[in-house]
Amino acid sequence: MKKIYNTRRMGHLLFATAVALLSCQDFLDKEADAIVAEGEAFKNFNNFQGYIEEIYNCIPDKEKHYWTTSWNWGDDEVFNLEGNWHMTNQVDLGNFWAWQAGRLSQPGAWLDKPTTDPTSTDKFNHALWPHAWYSIRKVNIGLANLDKLLSASQEEKDLIAGQLYFFRAWWHFEMMEYFGGLPYIDQVLPADQSPMLPRLSYQECADKAGEDFAKAAALLPIDWDKTSAGGNTAGKNQLRINKIMALGYLGKNYLWAASPLMTHGASVGGGNTYHYNAEYGKKAAEAFGALLALVESGQTQYSLAQFDYKNVYDHEKADDATSRFSDIFYTTGQNWLMPGSTEAIFRGSSTDVNGSNWNTTKTFGPKVAGIIEHDNIIHQPTANYVNFYGMANGLPLNDPASGFDPAYPFRNRDPRFYHDIVFDGFKYVNAAMPSDMEYLRYAGLHTNGTMRAATNGSRTGYFIQKLVPHTANKYDGAYNWSGNLHVYLPYMRLADIYLMYAEACAAFEGATGKSTNFTKTAEDAINTLRDRVGAGHVHASYTGDRARFIDEVRRERAVELSFEGFRFNDLQRWLLLTEPPYNVKTSQEFDRLEDADFFQTNDPREARVANFREVVILTRQFGTRHYWFPLKVSDVSMYPEFAQNPGW
C-alpha cells in the first residue's frame, strides 16, 4: 500500500511494543499506555497518520489469506472433494464453528487467525475477528487524543478524525454481518474494571455505526489528491478513506439494518423475505443517492468500468476502451497494477502480489493431467447459481418469454455469462500443447467429459473465470512471473452501490422508488448496469409488482457480484439461507451431440446438447441458528451480558 509521508515506517516505530490482540478478551483488558507512548503519536499530522496506518494494514485480504482459501459460502460455489476441509464445505455441513482458528486443518478461515501481527506485511497474518477488536481500540485511543493534535491545519484534523470514525464503524459492521449485534465500543475501556457492556440488537448497533459513518462522510474529502495533505503524493492515495467510501458504507449499514433478518429475526422464516424496514430503507437510499449524484455529475474519481471486448472469452479489451471490466478483479501485463480499475471504492492493501500466483490463481480450473499446477483445490460454480445468468434480452431462464432453449443452453445468454463462466466447448488453452494433451484444449464439461471429475475436475459442469483468467494454466502461463498477474477482490465497488440503491428504494416503494437526492429510480439503477454489459432492461412484467421486482434486483445482484464473497450475507439477511431452492447445490448434466471437431471451427455457444438437466449434489440442512455464526466460547464466558448467539 502506498503511504503518505512515509508514515508506515513511523507507525512501526511508534508501535514496537504493541501486541496483537488475540480475542475480544485481550482487547477489553489492554492498557492504553501499552499500545502507544503517551502523546507521541498525536502531536502532529505526520505522526497521527502513522498511527492510523496500522489500521489500514489490518484489513484482511480474504482471497489470499492462506495457500488455498475460500470466501464464497452461499449457494454459489463448491470445491472438488479434496477441498472438503475448506470453510465452504464446512458451511454446507452446518459446521459454523469452523470460522474459528484451530477448527480447520488450516489456520482458520479469513475471519480468524491463531496469532496475528498488525504490523506484518504477510498476507497470511490478517483476519477479521482479532484485528477488528485491535483496530477499534486503536481508533478509540486516537479519538480520545484528538485534542493533542495541535500542530495541524483544520483540513489535517478533519482527515484524521474522519478516518478514525470510519474505521470504528467499519470494523464493527464487518463483524455484525456474521455475528449480529455486538457491544458497540465507542470509548477507551478502563483496564482496571470488569467489562459489562451488553450486546446490542443489530439495529441498535447499526444506529451507532451510522452515526460514525455520517461523521466520516462530513469530514472527509472526495479525493485526497485534491487536498493539501494528500497533494504531496498525488496519484498514490487511492486506498485512503474518503467521502465516497463513507457514504457507501453508511448506505450499506442502513440497508442491512432494513433487511428482513435484522427487522424480524431468524425465527419468522422465509415468508418474510420481502418485508423490509421502510425507514432504514429510506436512510440507505439517501446515502446511496448522495454518492451516485456525485458520481454521475463527474465530481468523483469513480465510474463503471467498461464492458468492451474484442473477445469476451479472453477478456481482450477493445481498442477504443479506456477501462476494462476484468481489471476490477485482476490485472495482467500491467506491472502488478492493483486491480480495481475505475470502479473499486474500498480495498485494503495487497502485499506480496506475485504470491497470489501460488494460491488464488491456481485454484479455479481443472487439475486433470496437470493442466493447472500446484494444490488440487478447485473453486467451481454451482449449476443452480449459474442459472441466475439469464438471457441477453434481460429475462430470467425460467420465464416462458425468455427464449431459453435447453437444446442450445449456451446461446443468447447474458453477456456476463460468457465473461464469467467456462462452459462446455470453451477454448480453455490458447498456446501450443503436446499432442497427447490436445484433448484438453476445449473444455469437456458435458456428463463424463474430459474435465468432469469430483476429484480433479468440475463436479458441476462449469468453471469460473471471472476472478482469474482461464489462461492461468501451464501452457498459456498467465500465472508465471512474466504475466504480472495480480488478483484482488474489492470490498466495495460502484456497481454494488447501484444494486444496493435499487434494493433500498424497492424496499419502500418498488421499481419506481427513488431517493430525494438522485434522479434515478430503482428500475433505472438496475438498467444502468444492464446497459453497461449490453443486456436487456428489466421487463415490464417485473416492474409492476414489488415482490417480483425485488426478485429481479436480487437476481441482478447474484450475476453482477458473482463469486465476490457477498452471497452468503445476502441469503442470510433476506431470510433465504434455510429456504429451498437456496439450500441446494446442483450440477449440470447433459449429453454432447457435437463431435470434438465442431469446436475447432464453431462458436461453443451454438453447440447442441441433449438431456439437459440438473442433479442435486447436496442439500444444506440448516436451522434458524445458522443465520448467525457462533461466537467464541472463551469470549461469551467473560460475563453474562456478552451472550452467545441463539442455538449455539
Side-chain angles (χ1 to χ4, degrees), residues 56-351:
Y56 282 94
N57 190 53
C58 288
I59 299 169
D61 186 347
K62 64 183 73 173
E63 73 278 7
K64 298 192 288 292
H65 175 77
Y66 190 62
W67 296 111
T68 63
T69 187
S70 71
W71 57 90
N72 291 314
W73 304 332
D75 59 346
D76 44 352
E77 186 180 273
V78 295
F79 279 74
N80 58 321
L81 295 181
E82 195 165 316
N84 277 354
W85 57 271
H86 263 296
M87 185 65 182
T88 299
N89 187 61
Q90 294 303 307
V91 171
D92 289 343
L93 296 174
N95 179 23
F96 284 18
W97 291 104
W99 75 269
Q100 300 174 23
R103 299 277 187 159
L104 294 176
S105 55
Q106 62 158 310
W110 70 272
L111 295 179
D112 197 29
K113 293 288 286 187
T115 59
T116 53
D117 177 3
T119 68
S120 174
T121 58
D122 187 331
K123 60 186 179 294
F124 289 179
N125 286 345
H126 302 291
L128 177 63
W129 183 258
H131 278 341
W133 296 116
Y134 179 89
S135 296
I136 290 167
R137 181 164 183 82
K138 282 201 68 166
V139 164
N140 285 327
I141 293 171
L143 288 169
N145 284 277
L146 281 176
D147 60 340
K148 294 183 173 65
L149 182 56
L150 300 176
S151 180
S153 67
Q154 188 60 50
E155 176 191 79
E156 290 171 335
K157 292 178 181 179
D158 289 348
L159 290 172
I160 293 297
Q163 291 174 91
L164 292 172
Y165 284 122
F166 175 89
F167 274 126
R168 184 164 69 186
W170 187 83
W171 287 104
H172 278 102
F173 175 78
E174 287 296 310
M175 290 194 293
M176 288 157 55
E177 285 191 284
Y178 294 96
F179 305 106
L182 295 166
Y184 196 90
I185 314 299
D186 56 6
Q187 58 186 296
V188 181
L189 299 179
D192 60 349
Q193 298 178 19
S194 297
M196 297 295 289
L197 295 174
R199 290 189 65 181
L200 304 178
S201 72
Y202 191 98
Q203 291 177 339
E204 287 171 333
C205 275
D207 288 340
K208 289 184 174 291
E211 291 176 7
D212 280 345
F213 281 133
K215 289 177 183 177
L219 290 165
L220 291 169
I222 292 172
D223 188 347
W224 278 61
D225 283 1
K226 296 179 180 178
T227 66
S228 296
N232 295 329
T233 50
K236 300 178 181 179
N237 298 313
Q238 298 94 330
L239 304 187
R240 296 277 173 221
I241 305 304
N242 61 36
K243 182 185 295 289
I244 302 305
M245 298 175 191
L247 286 172
Y249 274 100
L250 177 62
K252 185 172 184 177
N253 171 65
Y254 284 139
L255 176 58
W256 262 234
S259 295
L261 172 63
M262 291 69 170
T263 298
H264 303 288
S267 62
V268 299
N272 283 276
T273 188
Y274 302 114
H275 298 170
Y276 289 75
N277 182 298
E279 292 309 308
Y280 279 115
K282 290 175 182 177
K283 287 184 176 183
E286 292 299 304
F288 295 134
L291 189 163
L292 291 171
L294 290 170
V295 168
E296 294 204 353
S297 62
Q299 298 182 58
T300 77
Q301 61 272 44
Y302 303 109
S303 61
L304 292 174
Q306 293 173 278
F307 198 84
D308 294 340
Y309 292 99
K310 291 180 182 178
N311 183 337
V312 70
Y313 297 122
D314 283 335
H315 302 176
E316 184 182 356
K317 187 170 65 175
D319 292 335
D320 58 348
T322 58
S323 62
R324 178 169 50 187
F325 184 74
S326 56
D327 282 352
I328 300 170
F329 316 108
Y330 69 86
T331 58
T332 58
Q334 299 181 62
N335 196 28
W336 310 107
L337 177 68
M338 187 175 184
S341 187
T342 60
E343 189 162 326
I345 292 175
F346 183 76
R347 298 169 289 175
S349 60
S350 182
T351 58

Side-chain angles (χ1 to χ4, degrees), residues 594-608:
E594 315 292 358
D595 60 31
D597 292 340
F598 173 88
F599 300 101
Q600 296 180 24
T601 57
N602 292 277
D603 191 321
R605 290 176 291 191
E606 298 301 321
R608 185 168 55 99

Side-chain angles (χ1 to χ4, degrees), residues 8-9 74 139 159 175 212 225 412 445 447 516 544 552 573:
R8 174 124 184 218
R9 185 169 180 272
V139 164
L159 290 172
M175 290 194 293
D212 280 345
D225 283 1
N412 296 330
L445 290 169
T447 302
T516 64
E552 275 296 272
R573 66 189 180 86

